[in-house]
Protein backbone atom coordinates (compact mmCIF):
# COMPACT_ATOMS: atom_id res chain seq x y z
CA UNK A 1 0.00 0.00 0.00
CA UNK A 2 1.44 3.35 -1.03
CA UNK A 3 2.37 5.76 1.70
CA UNK A 4 0.87 9.14 0.90
CA UNK A 5 1.41 12.41 2.74
CA UNK A 6 -1.40 14.95 2.49
CA UNK A 7 -0.46 18.58 3.14
CA UNK A 8 -3.37 20.69 4.31
CA UNK A 9 -5.00 17.46 5.45
CA UNK A 10 -7.42 19.34 7.67
CA UNK A 11 -8.92 21.33 4.81
CA UNK A 12 -12.01 20.57 2.76
CA UNK A 13 -10.20 18.52 0.12
CA UNK A 14 -7.83 16.97 2.66
CA UNK A 15 -10.86 15.77 4.59
CA UNK A 16 -12.41 14.35 1.40
CA UNK A 17 -9.17 12.49 0.68
CA UNK A 18 -9.11 11.03 4.17
CA UNK A 19 -12.75 10.01 3.94
CA UNK A 20 -12.61 8.38 0.51
CA UNK A 21 -9.04 7.11 0.11
CA UNK A 22 -8.01 5.85 3.53
CA UNK A 23 -8.58 2.23 2.50
CA UNK A 24 -6.51 2.57 -0.69
CA UNK A 25 -3.42 4.28 0.68
CA UNK A 26 -1.56 4.55 3.94
CA UNK A 27 -2.30 8.23 4.54
CA UNK A 28 -0.43 10.58 6.81
CA UNK A 29 -1.21 14.18 7.45
CA UNK A 30 0.58 17.50 7.57
CA UNK A 31 -1.27 20.62 8.57
CA UNK A 32 -0.57 23.96 10.19
CA UNK A 33 -3.23 23.08 12.80
CA UNK A 34 -3.76 19.85 14.70
CA UNK A 35 -6.85 17.83 13.72
CA UNK A 36 -8.76 14.96 15.21
CA UNK A 37 -6.36 12.53 13.50
CA UNK A 38 -2.55 12.07 13.77
CA UNK A 39 -0.98 15.14 12.18
CA UNK A 40 2.54 16.41 11.66
CA UNK A 41 1.87 19.98 12.69
CA UNK A 42 4.10 22.40 10.79
CA UNK A 43 3.99 25.41 8.48
CA UNK A 44 4.89 24.60 4.85
CA UNK A 45 6.76 27.92 4.75
CA UNK A 46 9.35 26.26 7.03
CA UNK A 47 11.29 23.65 5.04
CA UNK A 48 13.16 22.16 8.00
CA UNK A 49 9.94 21.79 9.98
CA UNK A 50 8.10 19.85 7.28
CA UNK A 51 10.95 17.62 6.10
CA UNK A 52 10.50 14.81 8.67
CA UNK A 53 6.96 14.22 7.41
CA UNK A 54 8.29 13.31 3.95
CA UNK A 55 10.56 10.48 5.07
CA UNK A 56 9.50 7.13 3.66
CA UNK A 57 6.64 8.57 1.60
CA UNK A 58 5.80 7.28 -1.87
CA UNK A 59 3.73 10.30 -2.83
CA UNK A 60 2.57 13.67 -1.61
CA UNK A 61 -0.80 15.32 -2.19
CA UNK A 62 -0.02 19.01 -1.82
CA UNK A 63 -3.16 20.87 -0.80
CA UNK A 64 -1.83 23.31 1.83
CA UNK A 65 -2.03 26.91 0.64
CA UNK A 66 -3.80 30.19 0.94
CA UNK A 67 -6.93 29.20 -0.96
CA UNK A 68 -8.79 32.48 -1.38
CA UNK A 69 -8.68 34.09 -4.81
CA UNK A 70 -8.43 37.41 -3.00
CA UNK A 71 -5.33 36.53 -0.96
CA UNK A 72 -2.88 39.46 -0.89
CA UNK A 73 0.62 39.11 -2.34
CA UNK A 74 2.56 38.74 0.95
CA UNK A 75 0.51 35.70 1.98
CA UNK A 76 0.74 34.28 -1.54
CA UNK A 77 4.52 34.62 -1.41
CA UNK A 78 4.82 32.83 1.89
CA UNK A 79 2.19 30.12 1.64
CA UNK A 80 1.88 29.41 -2.06
CA UNK A 81 5.28 30.24 -3.56
CA UNK A 82 7.77 29.47 -0.78
CA UNK A 83 5.43 26.79 0.58
CA UNK A 84 5.16 24.99 -2.75
CA UNK A 85 8.91 25.19 -3.34
CA UNK A 86 9.42 23.68 0.11
CA UNK A 87 7.05 20.82 -0.64
CA UNK A 88 8.71 19.94 -3.97
CA UNK A 89 12.15 20.30 -2.44
CA UNK A 90 11.30 18.18 0.61
CA UNK A 91 9.82 15.54 -1.72
CA UNK A 92 12.96 15.54 -3.86
CA UNK A 93 15.27 15.32 -0.88
CA UNK A 94 13.29 12.47 0.67
CA UNK A 95 13.16 10.53 -2.60
CA UNK A 96 9.38 10.74 -2.91
CA UNK A 97 8.25 9.50 -6.34
CA UNK A 98 5.23 11.66 -7.02
CA UNK A 99 3.53 14.91 -6.11
CA UNK A 100 -0.10 15.70 -6.83
CA UNK A 101 -0.22 19.48 -6.83
CA UNK A 102 -3.49 21.26 -6.12
CA UNK A 103 -3.41 23.90 -8.82
CA UNK A 104 -6.42 25.90 -9.77
CA UNK A 105 -8.61 26.98 -12.64
CA UNK A 106 -7.56 30.48 -11.58
CA UNK A 107 -4.22 29.87 -13.34
CA UNK A 108 -6.23 30.47 -16.52
CA UNK A 109 -9.08 32.40 -14.90
CA UNK A 110 -8.92 35.37 -17.28
CA UNK A 111 -10.58 33.24 -19.97
CA UNK A 112 -13.55 32.91 -17.65
CA UNK A 113 -13.46 36.54 -16.46
CA UNK A 114 -13.55 37.90 -20.01
CA UNK A 115 -16.43 35.58 -20.96
CA UNK A 116 -18.44 35.78 -17.76
CA UNK A 117 -21.35 35.34 -17.19
CA UNK A 118 -22.21 34.12 -20.71
CA UNK A 119 -19.74 31.24 -20.39
CA UNK A 120 -21.91 29.54 -17.77
CA UNK A 121 -24.79 28.90 -20.16
CA UNK A 122 -25.18 25.27 -21.17
CA UNK A 123 -25.09 26.17 -24.86
CA UNK A 124 -21.98 28.38 -24.68
CA UNK A 125 -19.28 26.91 -26.95
CA UNK A 126 -16.07 27.90 -25.13
CA UNK A 127 -14.07 25.03 -23.63
CA UNK A 128 -10.66 25.70 -22.09
CA UNK A 129 -8.16 22.85 -22.16
CA UNK A 130 -4.74 22.25 -20.63
CA UNK A 131 -2.95 23.88 -23.56
CA UNK A 132 -4.57 27.28 -23.04
CA UNK A 133 -2.22 30.16 -22.37
CA UNK A 134 -1.45 30.83 -18.74
CA UNK A 135 -3.74 33.75 -17.85
CA UNK A 136 -4.14 34.11 -14.10
CA UNK A 137 -6.97 36.22 -12.71
CA UNK A 138 -5.33 36.94 -9.34
CA UNK A 139 -2.12 36.61 -7.35
CA UNK A 140 -3.60 33.32 -6.21
CA UNK A 141 -3.88 32.16 -9.82
CA UNK A 142 -0.37 33.47 -10.48
CA UNK A 143 1.00 31.34 -7.65
CA UNK A 144 -0.71 28.22 -8.94
CA UNK A 145 0.80 28.77 -12.40
CA UNK A 146 4.19 29.21 -10.70
CA UNK A 147 3.66 25.89 -8.93
CA UNK A 148 2.82 24.11 -12.19
CA UNK A 149 5.99 25.38 -13.90
CA UNK A 150 8.02 24.46 -10.85
CA UNK A 151 6.52 20.99 -10.94
CA UNK A 152 7.66 20.57 -14.51
CA UNK A 153 11.15 21.71 -13.48
CA UNK A 154 11.29 19.04 -10.77
CA UNK A 155 9.97 16.39 -13.17
CA UNK A 156 12.48 17.06 -15.92
CA UNK A 157 15.50 17.81 -13.77
CA UNK A 158 15.01 15.67 -10.67
CA UNK A 159 12.84 12.77 -11.81
CA UNK A 160 9.81 13.58 -9.70
CA UNK A 161 6.41 12.68 -11.14
CA UNK A 162 3.92 15.56 -10.92
CA UNK A 163 0.22 15.87 -11.70
CA UNK A 164 -1.23 19.39 -11.49
CA UNK A 165 -4.96 19.51 -10.83
CA UNK A 166 -6.82 22.66 -11.74
CA UNK A 167 -9.54 21.96 -9.26
CA UNK A 168 -12.99 23.42 -9.74
CA UNK A 169 -15.36 24.14 -6.86
CA UNK A 170 -15.15 21.65 -4.00
CA UNK A 171 -17.65 22.62 -1.33
CA UNK A 172 -17.61 21.88 2.38
CA UNK A 173 -21.29 20.91 2.17
CA UNK A 174 -20.67 18.99 -1.10
CA UNK A 175 -23.83 20.58 -2.48
CA UNK A 176 -23.80 22.21 -5.96
CA UNK A 177 -27.12 23.93 -5.32
CA UNK A 178 -26.50 25.17 -1.82
CA UNK A 179 -27.88 28.49 -0.72
CA UNK A 180 -24.54 29.23 0.93
CA UNK A 181 -22.77 29.15 -2.45
CA UNK A 182 -25.06 31.81 -3.84
CA UNK A 183 -23.98 34.20 -1.14
CA UNK A 184 -20.26 34.03 -1.89
CA UNK A 185 -19.31 35.04 -5.42
CA UNK A 186 -16.52 37.19 -3.99
CA UNK A 187 -13.95 37.48 -6.75
CA UNK A 188 -16.33 38.10 -9.67
CA UNK A 189 -19.21 40.57 -9.73
CA UNK A 190 -21.92 37.92 -10.13
CA UNK A 191 -25.48 37.93 -8.95
CA UNK A 192 -26.68 35.15 -6.68
CA UNK A 193 -28.30 33.40 -9.67
CA UNK A 194 -25.13 33.70 -11.76
CA UNK A 195 -23.02 32.38 -8.91
CA UNK A 196 -25.23 29.32 -8.66
CA UNK A 197 -25.17 28.93 -12.45
CA UNK A 198 -21.37 29.03 -12.33
CA UNK A 199 -21.29 26.38 -9.63
CA UNK A 200 -23.36 24.09 -11.87
CA UNK A 201 -20.42 24.14 -14.29
CA UNK A 202 -17.46 24.23 -11.90
CA UNK A 203 -18.65 21.87 -9.17
CA UNK A 204 -16.42 18.97 -8.21
CA UNK A 205 -17.97 16.55 -5.76
CA UNK A 206 -15.82 15.39 -2.90
CA UNK A 207 -15.81 11.79 -4.08
CA UNK A 208 -14.97 12.77 -7.67
CA UNK A 209 -12.17 14.94 -6.29
CA UNK A 210 -10.86 11.99 -4.29
CA UNK A 211 -11.11 9.76 -7.34
CA UNK A 212 -9.17 12.23 -9.47
CA UNK A 213 -6.41 12.45 -6.88
CA UNK A 214 -6.34 8.67 -6.64
CA UNK A 215 -6.00 8.33 -10.43
CA UNK A 216 -3.02 10.67 -10.28
CA UNK A 217 -1.40 8.69 -7.48
CA UNK A 218 -1.81 5.51 -9.54
CA UNK A 219 -0.72 6.98 -12.92
CA UNK A 220 2.88 5.85 -12.82
CA UNK A 221 3.17 6.14 -16.60
CA UNK A 222 2.65 9.92 -16.52
CA UNK A 223 5.70 12.03 -15.67
CA UNK A 224 3.89 15.36 -15.86
CA UNK A 225 0.37 16.44 -16.60
CA UNK A 226 -2.11 19.27 -16.11
CA UNK A 227 -5.74 18.30 -15.60
CA UNK A 228 -8.97 20.09 -14.76
CA UNK A 229 -11.10 18.74 -11.97
CA UNK A 230 -14.87 18.99 -12.22
CA UNK A 231 -17.70 16.50 -11.93
CA UNK A 232 -19.66 15.26 -14.94
CA UNK A 233 -21.65 18.47 -15.03
CA UNK A 234 -24.00 19.36 -17.85
CA UNK A 235 -22.07 22.52 -18.67
CA UNK A 236 -18.29 22.05 -18.68
CA UNK A 237 -16.11 24.95 -19.81
CA UNK A 238 -12.91 23.26 -18.60
CA UNK A 239 -12.03 20.19 -20.60
CA UNK A 240 -11.92 16.81 -18.88
CA UNK A 241 -10.73 15.07 -22.07
CA UNK A 242 -7.12 14.50 -21.04
CA UNK A 243 -8.06 13.50 -17.48
CA UNK A 244 -10.44 10.89 -18.89
CA UNK A 245 -7.97 9.63 -21.51
CA UNK A 246 -4.68 9.75 -19.66
CA UNK A 247 -5.81 9.11 -16.09
CA UNK A 248 -9.01 7.14 -16.63
CA UNK A 249 -10.91 9.69 -14.56
CA UNK A 250 -14.62 8.82 -14.65
CA UNK A 251 -16.63 11.24 -12.54
CA UNK A 252 -19.67 9.72 -10.86
CA UNK A 253 -21.50 12.89 -9.90
CA UNK A 254 -23.07 15.74 -11.82
CA UNK A 255 -24.30 19.08 -10.60
CA UNK A 256 -27.23 18.95 -13.02
CA UNK A 257 -28.42 15.52 -11.89
CA UNK A 258 -28.45 16.31 -8.20
CA UNK B 1 11.06 62.00 -25.90
CA UNK B 2 9.92 58.91 -23.98
CA UNK B 3 11.24 58.55 -20.48
CA UNK B 4 12.67 55.06 -20.03
CA UNK B 5 13.81 53.50 -16.77
CA UNK B 6 16.28 50.62 -17.02
CA UNK B 7 16.64 48.33 -14.02
CA UNK B 8 20.09 46.79 -13.95
CA UNK B 9 21.35 49.74 -15.95
CA UNK B 10 24.98 48.87 -15.18
CA UNK B 11 24.79 45.32 -16.56
CA UNK B 12 25.85 44.10 -20.01
CA UNK B 13 22.51 44.81 -21.68
CA UNK B 14 21.76 47.88 -19.56
CA UNK B 15 25.07 49.40 -20.64
CA UNK B 16 24.62 48.64 -24.33
CA UNK B 17 21.11 50.10 -24.25
CA UNK B 18 22.41 53.32 -22.72
CA UNK B 19 25.10 53.49 -25.40
CA UNK B 20 22.88 52.66 -28.39
CA UNK B 21 19.52 54.19 -27.40
CA UNK B 22 20.68 57.12 -25.27
CA UNK B 23 19.92 59.73 -27.94
CA UNK B 24 16.47 58.32 -28.64
CA UNK B 25 15.05 58.16 -25.12
CA UNK B 26 15.55 59.97 -21.87
CA UNK B 27 17.11 57.11 -19.94
CA UNK B 28 17.52 56.72 -16.19
CA UNK B 29 18.53 53.65 -14.30
CA UNK B 30 18.26 51.59 -11.17
CA UNK B 31 21.42 49.86 -10.12
CA UNK B 32 22.83 48.50 -6.90
CA UNK B 33 26.23 50.16 -7.18
CA UNK B 34 27.08 53.81 -7.84
CA UNK B 35 27.05 54.51 -11.57
CA UNK B 36 28.34 57.09 -14.05
CA UNK B 37 24.83 57.73 -15.38
CA UNK B 38 21.62 59.11 -13.84
CA UNK B 39 20.43 56.30 -11.62
CA UNK B 40 18.71 55.41 -8.38
CA UNK B 41 21.04 53.33 -6.28
CA UNK B 42 18.94 50.56 -4.79
CA UNK B 43 17.96 46.94 -4.65
CA UNK B 44 14.86 45.86 -6.59
CA UNK B 45 14.07 43.49 -3.71
CA UNK B 46 13.12 46.63 -1.74
CA UNK B 47 9.92 48.13 -3.15
CA UNK B 48 9.99 51.34 -1.11
CA UNK B 49 13.51 52.19 -2.24
CA UNK B 50 12.77 51.84 -5.94
CA UNK B 51 9.28 53.39 -6.05
CA UNK B 52 10.41 57.01 -6.55
CA UNK B 53 12.43 56.04 -9.63
CA UNK B 54 9.19 55.10 -11.45
CA UNK B 55 7.53 58.52 -11.13
CA UNK B 56 6.95 60.12 -14.54
CA UNK B 57 8.36 57.15 -16.43
CA UNK B 58 6.75 56.01 -19.71
CA UNK B 59 8.37 52.60 -20.02
CA UNK B 60 10.53 50.31 -17.95
CA UNK B 61 13.17 47.94 -19.29
CA UNK B 62 13.53 45.38 -16.53
CA UNK B 63 16.97 43.80 -16.74
CA UNK B 64 17.90 43.53 -13.06
CA UNK B 65 17.95 40.04 -11.67
CA UNK B 66 20.18 37.10 -11.00
CA UNK B 67 21.13 36.09 -14.58
CA UNK B 68 22.76 32.77 -13.79
CA UNK B 69 21.17 29.43 -14.73
CA UNK B 70 22.96 27.99 -11.71
CA UNK B 71 21.56 30.58 -9.29
CA UNK B 72 20.36 29.22 -5.96
CA UNK B 73 16.73 29.18 -4.92
CA UNK B 74 17.42 31.85 -2.29
CA UNK B 75 18.92 34.23 -4.84
CA UNK B 76 16.27 33.56 -7.47
CA UNK B 77 13.53 34.09 -4.92
CA UNK B 78 14.93 37.41 -3.74
CA UNK B 79 16.20 38.93 -6.98
CA UNK B 80 13.90 37.46 -9.61
CA UNK B 81 10.61 36.62 -7.88
CA UNK B 82 10.40 39.44 -5.33
CA UNK B 83 12.35 41.80 -7.60
CA UNK B 84 10.12 41.32 -10.64
CA UNK B 85 6.96 41.67 -8.57
CA UNK B 86 8.33 44.91 -7.13
CA UNK B 87 9.14 46.27 -10.58
CA UNK B 88 5.71 45.43 -12.02
CA UNK B 89 3.97 46.73 -8.92
CA UNK B 90 5.98 49.96 -8.90
CA UNK B 91 5.21 50.43 -12.59
CA UNK B 92 1.50 49.90 -11.97
CA UNK B 93 1.41 52.33 -9.04
CA UNK B 94 3.26 55.00 -11.01
CA UNK B 95 1.01 54.62 -14.05
CA UNK B 96 3.82 53.48 -16.33
CA UNK B 97 2.55 52.46 -19.79
CA UNK B 98 4.71 49.45 -20.52
CA UNK B 99 7.30 47.10 -19.10
CA UNK B 100 9.83 45.10 -21.08
CA UNK B 101 10.68 42.03 -19.03
CA UNK B 102 14.04 40.38 -19.70
CA UNK B 103 13.11 36.74 -19.89
CA UNK B 104 15.20 33.86 -21.18
CA UNK B 105 15.33 30.74 -23.32
CA UNK B 106 15.87 28.85 -20.05
CA UNK B 107 12.08 29.03 -19.56
CA UNK B 108 11.86 26.26 -22.20
CA UNK B 109 15.37 24.81 -22.22
CA UNK B 110 14.31 21.24 -21.46
CA UNK B 111 12.92 21.17 -24.98
CA UNK B 112 16.47 21.62 -26.24
CA UNK B 113 17.78 18.94 -23.90
CA UNK B 114 15.10 16.59 -25.19
CA UNK B 115 15.97 17.27 -28.85
CA UNK B 116 19.69 16.61 -28.34
CA UNK B 117 22.72 18.32 -29.86
CA UNK B 118 21.57 17.56 -33.43
CA UNK B 119 19.07 20.37 -33.10
CA UNK B 120 21.93 22.85 -33.48
CA UNK B 121 22.99 21.49 -36.89
CA UNK B 122 22.69 24.06 -39.71
CA UNK B 123 20.26 21.93 -41.72
CA UNK B 124 18.05 20.91 -38.80
CA UNK B 125 14.58 22.40 -39.11
CA UNK B 126 13.15 21.96 -35.63
CA UNK B 127 11.73 25.15 -34.16
CA UNK B 128 10.73 26.18 -30.66
CA UNK B 129 7.83 28.59 -30.45
CA UNK B 130 7.30 31.18 -27.75
CA UNK B 131 3.90 29.77 -26.82
CA UNK B 132 5.11 26.19 -26.39
CA UNK B 133 4.91 25.10 -22.72
CA UNK B 134 7.24 26.23 -19.99
CA UNK B 135 9.98 23.65 -19.49
CA UNK B 136 12.53 25.30 -17.22
CA UNK B 137 15.96 23.77 -16.70
CA UNK B 138 16.74 25.68 -13.51
CA UNK B 139 15.28 27.84 -10.76
CA UNK B 140 16.50 30.71 -12.91
CA UNK B 141 14.45 29.53 -15.90
CA UNK B 142 11.47 28.94 -13.63
CA UNK B 143 11.77 32.45 -12.19
CA UNK B 144 11.73 34.00 -15.67
CA UNK B 145 8.69 31.93 -16.63
CA UNK B 146 7.12 33.20 -13.42
CA UNK B 147 7.93 36.78 -14.40
CA UNK B 148 6.15 36.21 -17.72
CA UNK B 149 3.12 34.82 -15.88
CA UNK B 150 3.04 37.77 -13.51
CA UNK B 151 3.42 40.11 -16.49
CA UNK B 152 0.40 38.51 -18.13
CA UNK B 153 -1.60 39.08 -14.97
CA UNK B 154 -0.56 42.74 -14.76
CA UNK B 155 -1.45 43.17 -18.41
CA UNK B 156 -4.88 41.51 -18.16
CA UNK B 157 -5.82 42.87 -14.74
CA UNK B 158 -4.26 46.36 -14.67
CA UNK B 159 -3.73 47.32 -18.30
CA UNK B 160 0.05 47.49 -18.05
CA UNK B 161 1.50 46.54 -21.43
CA UNK B 162 4.12 43.84 -21.01
CA UNK B 163 6.71 42.57 -23.47
CA UNK B 164 8.62 39.46 -22.46
CA UNK B 165 11.87 39.03 -24.35
CA UNK B 166 13.55 35.66 -24.28
CA UNK B 167 16.88 37.13 -25.03
CA UNK B 168 19.34 34.87 -26.83
CA UNK B 169 23.03 35.12 -26.08
CA UNK B 170 24.27 38.68 -25.70
CA UNK B 171 28.03 38.35 -25.37
CA UNK B 172 30.14 40.83 -23.49
CA UNK B 173 32.59 41.10 -26.40
CA UNK B 174 29.77 40.96 -29.00
CA UNK B 175 31.81 38.43 -31.01
CA UNK B 176 30.09 35.17 -32.06
CA UNK B 177 33.38 33.78 -33.41
CA UNK B 178 35.50 34.21 -30.30
CA UNK B 179 32.74 33.34 -27.88
CA UNK B 180 33.65 32.48 -24.34
CA UNK B 181 31.75 29.30 -23.51
CA UNK B 182 32.96 29.09 -19.94
CA UNK B 183 30.02 28.48 -17.66
CA UNK B 184 27.59 28.04 -20.56
CA UNK B 185 27.41 24.27 -20.35
CA UNK B 186 23.77 24.18 -19.34
CA UNK B 187 22.74 21.67 -20.56
CA UNK B 188 26.01 19.73 -20.43
CA UNK B 189 27.19 19.46 -24.02
CA UNK B 190 30.46 18.91 -25.88
CA UNK B 191 32.30 22.15 -26.64
CA UNK B 192 31.52 21.95 -30.36
CA UNK B 193 27.80 21.69 -29.65
CA UNK B 194 27.98 24.64 -27.27
CA UNK B 195 29.66 26.68 -30.01
CA UNK B 196 26.99 25.62 -32.52
CA UNK B 197 24.31 26.50 -30.01
CA UNK B 198 25.95 29.85 -29.37
CA UNK B 199 25.94 30.68 -33.07
CA UNK B 200 22.23 29.79 -33.25
CA UNK B 201 21.16 31.94 -30.31
CA UNK B 202 23.61 34.83 -30.75
CA UNK B 203 22.06 38.26 -30.36
CA UNK B 204 24.32 41.16 -31.31
CA UNK B 205 24.36 44.30 -29.21
CA UNK B 206 22.91 46.27 -32.11
CA UNK B 207 20.08 43.77 -32.67
CA UNK B 208 19.37 43.60 -28.94
CA UNK B 209 18.99 47.38 -28.80
CA UNK B 210 16.82 47.28 -31.92
CA UNK B 211 14.50 44.65 -30.46
CA UNK B 212 14.03 46.74 -27.34
CA UNK B 213 13.50 49.86 -29.43
CA UNK B 214 10.78 47.98 -31.35
CA UNK B 215 9.03 47.29 -28.03
CA UNK B 216 9.48 50.83 -26.72
CA UNK B 217 8.03 52.31 -29.91
CA UNK B 218 5.14 49.85 -30.14
CA UNK B 219 1.77 51.24 -29.08
CA UNK B 220 -0.54 48.31 -29.74
CA UNK B 221 0.68 45.08 -28.16
CA UNK B 222 -0.99 44.40 -24.80
CA UNK B 223 1.12 41.36 -23.95
CA UNK B 224 3.62 39.36 -25.95
CA UNK B 225 6.43 36.84 -25.59
CA UNK B 226 9.24 37.03 -28.12
CA UNK B 227 12.54 35.33 -28.74
CA UNK B 228 15.42 37.64 -29.51
CA UNK B 229 18.25 36.42 -31.74
CA UNK B 230 20.20 37.86 -34.64
CA UNK B 231 19.62 36.72 -38.23
CA UNK B 232 21.74 33.63 -37.65
CA UNK B 233 22.03 30.87 -40.31
CA UNK B 234 20.65 28.23 -37.93
CA UNK B 235 17.74 29.42 -35.79
CA UNK B 236 15.77 27.08 -33.58
CA UNK B 237 13.88 29.84 -31.80
CA UNK B 238 10.92 31.13 -33.76
CA UNK B 239 11.16 34.91 -34.06
CA UNK B 240 8.37 35.28 -36.61
CA UNK B 241 6.05 36.95 -34.09
CA UNK B 242 8.78 39.49 -33.23
CA UNK B 243 9.09 40.27 -36.94
CA UNK B 244 5.35 40.48 -37.52
CA UNK B 245 4.06 42.10 -34.34
CA UNK B 246 7.03 44.32 -33.48
CA UNK B 247 8.67 44.83 -36.88
CA UNK B 248 11.97 43.44 -35.59
CA UNK B 249 14.50 43.08 -38.43
CA UNK B 250 17.85 41.81 -37.15
CA UNK B 251 20.86 43.22 -39.01
CA UNK B 252 23.62 40.95 -37.78
CA UNK B 253 24.36 37.26 -38.06
CA UNK B 254 26.65 34.69 -36.53
CA UNK B 255 28.79 32.68 -38.97
CA UNK B 256 27.61 29.23 -40.08
Amino acid sequence: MKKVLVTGANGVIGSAVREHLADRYELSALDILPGDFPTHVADIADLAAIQPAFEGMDAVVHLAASISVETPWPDILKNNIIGTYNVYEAAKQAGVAAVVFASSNHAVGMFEVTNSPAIYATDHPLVIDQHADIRPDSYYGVSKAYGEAMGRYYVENHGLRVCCLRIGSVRPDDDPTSEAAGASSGWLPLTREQTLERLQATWLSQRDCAQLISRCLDAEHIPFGIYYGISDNQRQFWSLANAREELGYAPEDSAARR
Amino acid sequence: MKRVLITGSNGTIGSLLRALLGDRYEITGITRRPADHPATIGDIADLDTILPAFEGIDAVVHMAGDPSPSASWESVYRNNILGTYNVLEAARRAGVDSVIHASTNHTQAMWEVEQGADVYAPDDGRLLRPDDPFRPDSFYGWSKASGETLGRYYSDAFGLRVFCLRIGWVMGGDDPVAMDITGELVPPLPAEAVMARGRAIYLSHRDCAELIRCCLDNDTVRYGVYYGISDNPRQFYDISNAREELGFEPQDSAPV
Side-chain angles (χ1 to χ4, degrees):
Chain A
M1 202 180 248
K2 277 184 183 164
K3 293 184 183 175
V4 176
L5 174 68
V6 181
T7 75
N10 223 351
V12 172
I13 296 175
S15 302
V17 167
R18 287 184 291 106
E19 181 185 339
H20 292 279
L21 301 183
D23 56 350
R24 284 183 60 94
Y25 309 98
E26 191 178 327
L27 298 178
S28 58
L30 186 155
D31 203 289
I32 198 166
L33 295 171
D36 54 3
F37 49 90
T39 303
H40 182 95
V41 178
D43 185 341
I44 56 165
D46 182 346
L47 177 58
I50 65 170
Q51 274 182 317
F54 289 71
E55 291 304 322
M57 290 296 141
D58 297 303
V60 174
V61 178
H62 176 39
L63 306 172
S66 286
I67 59 167
S68 165
V69 183
E70 291 151 294
T71 307
W73 173 252
D75 292 339
I76 288 292
L77 261 184
K78 174 177 181 286
N79 300 321
N80 294 15
I81 297 178
I82 293 175
T84 295
Y85 160 76
N86 286 343
V87 166
Y88 282 127
E89 185 63 20
K92 183 197 96 173
Q93 290 189 15
V96 172
V99 172
V100 179
F101 170 59
S103 184
S104 170
N105 62 82
H106 293 281
V108 292
M110 275 299 173
F111 289 103
E112 179 185 344
V113 170
T114 54
N115 290 281
S116 171
I119 191 174
Y120 310 127
T122 50
D123 58 352
H124 194 281
L126 182 60
V127 177
I128 300 146
D129 71 13
Q130 73 278 14
H131 302 298
D133 288 348
I134 297 292
R135 290 188 65 189
D137 56 17
S138 53
Y139 291 123
Y140 171 75
V142 164
S143 72
K144 293 301 183 180
Y146 283 22
E148 292 181 358
M150 180 171 279
R152 185 122 193 199
Y153 162 74
Y154 273 95
V155 167
E156 297 194 306
N157 294 273
H158 302 292
L160 220 60
R161 203 164 68 67
V162 173
C163 289
C164 304
L165 299 181
R166 293 182 180 162
I167 294 168
S169 307
V170 179
R171 295 200 44 80
D173 58 13
D174 210 18
D175 180 357
T177 61
S178 96
E179 287 302 309
S184 62
S185 80
W187 62 287
L188 262 180
L190 299 178
T191 65
R192 181 182 165 284
E193 286 306 315
Q194 288 165 342
T195 302
L196 288 169
E197 190 184 19
R198 175 180 193 269
L199 183 58
Q200 290 287 303
T202 63
W203 185 60
L204 175 62
S205 75
Q206 294 192 9
R207 73 171 169 172
D208 284 343
C209 184
Q211 183 205 141
L212 182 58
I213 289 170
S214 172
R215 301 281 182 183
C216 292
L217 290 170
D218 296 347
E220 292 177 5
H221 60 294
I222 296 180
F224 179 81
I226 296 172
Y227 307 96
Y228 292 92
I230 51 175
S231 284
D232 191 20
N233 305 327
Q234 186 180 356
R235 169 67 178 132
Q236 303 180 16
F237 58 87
W238 299 314
S239 172
L240 287 179
N242 70 329
R244 290 179 183 274
E245 285 159 24
E246 297 172 19
L247 301 174
Y249 173 56
E252 300 176 90
D253 294 309
S254 168
R257 284 201 291 271
R258 276 246 159 165
Chain B
M1 201 180 246
K2 273 189 182 161
R3 282 166 294 187
V4 176
L5 173 67
I6 302 176
T7 72
S9 53
N10 238 352
T12 301
I13 296 177
S15 299
L16 77 86
L17 293 178
R18 287 186 290 106
L20 297 176
L21 301 180
D23 57 354
R24 210 182 153 83
Y25 308 103
E26 189 181 323
I27 295 178
T28 54
I30 295 178
T31 179
R32 280 184 299 178
R33 286 176 295 276
D36 60 359
H37 56 274
T40 296
I41 310 302
D43 186 337
I44 57 164
D46 181 351
L47 179 58
D48 290 337
T49 302
I50 65 170
L51 271 175
F54 289 73
E55 290 304 323
I57 295 296
D58 297 305
V60 174
V61 181
H62 175 40
M63 294 287 156
D66 190 326
S68 169
S70 56
S72 68
W73 161 257
E74 288 75 15
S75 176
V76 154
Y77 172 75
R78 176 185 167 80
N79 296 302
N80 298 10
I81 297 296
L82 270 185
T84 296
Y85 164 80
N86 286 343
V87 166
L88 288 169
E89 180 64 12
R92 179 185 76 83
R93 290 191 198 176
V96 170
D97 172 69
S98 57
V99 171
I100 298 168
H101 168 58
S103 187
T104 174
N105 58 78
H106 291 274
T107 55
Q108 296 183 311
M110 294 314 290
W111 177 86
E112 266 183 74
V113 174
E114 184 180 72
Q115 306 307 308
D118 290 350
V119 79
Y120 308 126
D123 57 350
D124 192 286
R126 283 171 282 182
L127 202 57
L128 180 62
R129 294 184 173 78
D131 58 353
D132 286 339
F134 290 136
R135 297 184 63 182
D137 61 352
S138 53
F139 288 128
Y140 167 73
W142 168 78
S143 74
K144 292 298 185 178
S146 297
E148 293 183 6
T149 296
L150 193 63
R152 181 84 200 228
Y153 173 58
Y154 270 72
S155 171
D156 278 339
F158 306 121
L160 192 69
R161 300 192 307 122
V162 178
F163 303 80
C164 302
L165 301 182
R166 296 193 184 143
I167 294 166
W169 192 352
V170 176
M171 300 171 190
D174 204 16
D175 184 349
V177 178
M179 71 177 83
D180 175 12
I181 66 170
T182 313
E184 288 294 334
L185 298 176
V186 180
L189 291 168
E192 186 44 51
V194 179
M195 301 288 280
R197 177 177 191 270
R199 288 191 293 271
I201 70 173
Y202 168 69
L203 177 63
S204 74
H205 288 194
R206 174 164 78 156
D207 287 341
C208 180
E210 171 62 9
L211 177 58
I212 286 167
R213 182 202 67 75
C214 288
C215 296
L216 290 171
D217 290 352
N218 179 289
D219 290 323
T220 55
V221 170
R222 310 302 310 174
Y223 177 82
V225 180
Y226 309 95
Y227 272 101
I229 51 175
S230 284
D231 193 22
N232 305 322
R234 167 68 182 128
Q235 304 179 16
F236 59 89
Y237 297 142
D238 181 4
I239 60 167
S240 60
N241 68 329
R243 291 179 184 273
E244 287 158 21
E245 295 171 23
L246 304 175
F248 174 54
E249 291 297 339
Q251 301 298 307
D252 296 310
S253 170
V256 177

